[in-house]
Amino acid sequence: GWKDAINTTIINFNNEKMQITWAARELFHNENVSFSYTFDEGKHKVWKPCPMYLLDHNYNSGCLFKTEGPTLAISIRNSNGSEELFSKKLKSDFYIKPNPPENVTFFWKEDTVTVSCNKPERAVKCLRLELQYKSTFDKEWQSRTSRCCRIGDQGFDSRKCYSFRVRLQRLVPYCNVVHYSSDWEAETFWMNGTLLDSCDDDRTPQSNTVIVLSCLLALLLMMLFLLILLCKQQRLQMSVMPAIPDPKYIFAELLNDHNGNFQEWLDKTNHVVLQTKLEYEEPECITEAESQQEDEKNGDKQGPLEKIFAFSGTAENSDLKAAQIACLIPASNTIASFAGFHILMNDDMYVTL
């Protein structure tokens, strides 16, 4: 009874070649079996040895031979052929796997696509044409099946690129005992009735544009962020650590013209300040002195006019000098002494050492 439990895989390739396979290592441990077959019927059968073995780790695991009729008998024996390990009779027509469809054509009319192929020479009624397609936005294939050898569908978007593939199926259980379909015909790519090499050609320009725009936008946002960060950092630095003036610009004259001689620079600076002060206030002081003399003249009415000219030159010079000093030194000023020099200071002045 264990002979009937052996599983074999039987494929009749378009009724041209037979392929019988079995699990060699699981069924026949460490034994290389032999295979024979016959398409003859009746008592006088001629058994043929396998012309081409299929190997699995150097063990015979299958046989490939030519299809010669609708009825097939197979036999698997031990290596020397003295004992039969498995035998079976079958209808080879019930294990047909068709070839892929030939001369596939696509006809487009608006949103409708019609696909057709050449009719096989045998058993056309047992075949069905299957069409599968998907657009660049679909993840799964959409499938349509129709009688051989023409099929159509509608609802296609002219703005999308579609992938198409077709194959032939064998009807079960009327024609086959197992579900066998042909291999898929070469995949083709279409967009609005135009054959393309690939749908990637339709996706690439749009993808490149999106990538370029995204990179530019990211770059602009990054530049804006860095600019804002830089402004905030400068404001924070100015508020926390204000800038310290460089002394070389304040004392440029001291360092460049006087070679760092502070005493020489101070003498020249005091002389310039004093001279500028005198030149600026001399007319006002003279006017005040004259006004004071006129007041005294008006107030003193006892002496004649000639007495004014009778004053000595020393007294006159003393009065003028006192008037000038009184003009040069306002009441609100203070005198700062440094190394024997007197520096005039008021509310609007300060001395930097």
Side-chain angles (χ1 to χ4, degrees):
W2 66 272
K3 294 182 179 181
D4 298 333
I6 294 178
N7 291 327
T8 57
T9 302
I10 305 169
I11 303 176
N12 184 358
F13 291 101
N14 199 39
N15 209 24
E16 297 173 358
K17 287 186 178 182
M18 297 291 302
Q19 176 179 293
I20 313 295
T21 58
W22 56 87
R25 290 185 297 171
E26 289 78 2
L27 298 176
F28 313 108
H29 300 285
N30 300 324
E31 184 176 3
N32 212 358
V33 298
S34 61
F35 178 88
S36 59
Y37 69 95
T38 181
F39 286 94
D40 296 334
E41 298 182 17
K43 296 181 180 181
H44 303 286
K45 297 179 181 178
V46 178
W47 291 89
K48 297 180 180 180
C50 177
M52 181 182 296
Y53 279 105
L54 304 177
L55 302 180
D56 181 13
H57 293 79
N58 296 325
Y59 288 97
N60 296 335
S61 62
C63 182
L64 186 64
F65 53 95
K66 183 179 179 181
T67 304
E68 299 176 0
T71 303
L72 174 65
I74 60 175
S75 175
I76 298 177
R77 295 176 174 272
N78 58 3
S79 57
N80 57 17
S82 60
E83 180 184 0
E84 186 178 66
L85 304 177
F86 174 75
S87 63
K88 185 175 182 179
K89 292 182 180 180
L90 53 96
K91 291 289 186 180
S92 61
D93 292 344
F94 287 166
Y95 297 88
I96 293 179
K97 179 179 180 178
N99 287 340
E102 298 178 355
N103 193 22
V104 179
T105 58
F106 291 82
F107 177 74
W108 289 75
K109 185 177 180 180
E110 297 180 354
D111 65 339
T112 303
V113 178
T114 303
V115 183
S116 60
C117 66
N118 291 346
K119 290 184 178 182
E121 297 179 357
R122 304 175 183 176
V124 177
K125 295 181 179 180
C126 291
L127 297 176
R128 292 291 181 268
L129 181 63
E130 181 182 6
L131 169 68
Q132 287 190 348
Y133 61 88
K134 66 177 179 179
S135 69
T136 53
F137 303 96
D138 298 329
K139 295 182 179 180
E140 302 292 336
W141 289 94
Q142 301 184 48
S143 183
R144 300 290 183 272
T145 304
S146 179
R147 296 176 58 184
C148 187
C149 292
R150 183 183 181 91
I151 187 173
D153 200 0
Q154 60 184 5
F156 292 93
D157 192 343
S158 61
R159 297 169 297 180
K160 297 180 181 180
C161 180
Y162 292 89
S163 304
F164 290 91
R165 63 182 184 180
V166 293
R167 68 179 178 181
L168 291 175
Q169 293 180 348
R170 183 84 171 176
L171 288 179
V172 176
Y174 306 104
C175 301
N176 263 31
V177 294
V178 290
H179 290 276
Y180 280 150
S181 300
S182 70
D183 296 333
W184 291 104
E185 179 65 14
E187 188 174 347
T188 56
F189 307 93
W190 295 81
M191 181 176 180
N192 195 21
T194 302
L195 180 63
L196 303 176
D197 294 335
S198 173
C199 282
D200 294 336
D201 299 337
D202 177 60
R203 265 197 311 249
T204 300
Q206 183 178 3
S207 301
N208 291 340
T209 304
V210 172
I211 292 173
V212 171
L213 292 178
S214 301
C215 292
L216 290 177
L217 181 60
L219 183 61
L220 291 176
L221 292 177
M222 185 179 298
M223 292 177 63
L224 179 61
F225 176 75
L226 291 177
L227 183 61
I228 295 174
L229 186 63
L230 182 61
C231 293
K232 288 187 176 182
Q233 184 177 4
Q234 289 181 351
R235 292 180 60 186
L236 180 62
Q237 185 176 1
M238 291 289 294
S239 61
V240 176
M241 295 182 297
I244 301 176
D246 195 343
K248 71 178 181 180
Y249 298 106
I250 300 176
F251 298 100
E253 186 177 355
L254 172 63
L255 300 176
N256 297 332
D257 298 342
H258 301 282
N259 296 324
N261 192 333
F262 182 78
Q263 187 67 42
E264 181 182 342
W265 172 76
L266 188 62
D267 293 341
K268 183 177 180 180
T269 303
N270 289 338
H271 175 70
V272 172
V273 172
L274 183 58
Q275 183 178 0
T276 304
K277 193 76 174 179
L278 290 174
E279 290 177 357
Y280 180 76
E281 296 185 356
E282 184 176 0
E284 182 180 358
C285 293
I286 293 173
T287 303
E288 291 179 358
E290 291 177 355
S291 300
Q292 185 177 1
Q293 289 179 3
E294 290 179 0
D295 292 340
E296 290 178 357
K297 184 187 297 184
N298 295 332
D300 190 9
K301 297 180 180 181
Q302 294 179 0
L305 183 62
E306 290 80 2
K307 289 183 180 181
I308 300 174
F309 301 97
F311 293 126
S312 62
T314 304
E316 184 177 359
N317 291 335
S318 299
D319 293 340
L320 290 175
K321 185 175 181 179
Q324 290 177 357
I325 294 173
C327 290
L328 291 174
I329 306 176
S332 61
N333 291 353
T334 60
I335 301 175
S337 299
F338 179 77
F341 292 91
H342 301 285
I343 301 174
L344 299 178
M345 299 179 61
N346 56 25
D347 295 340
D348 298 331
M349 296 178 59
Y350 69 92
V351 176
T352 305
L353 297 180

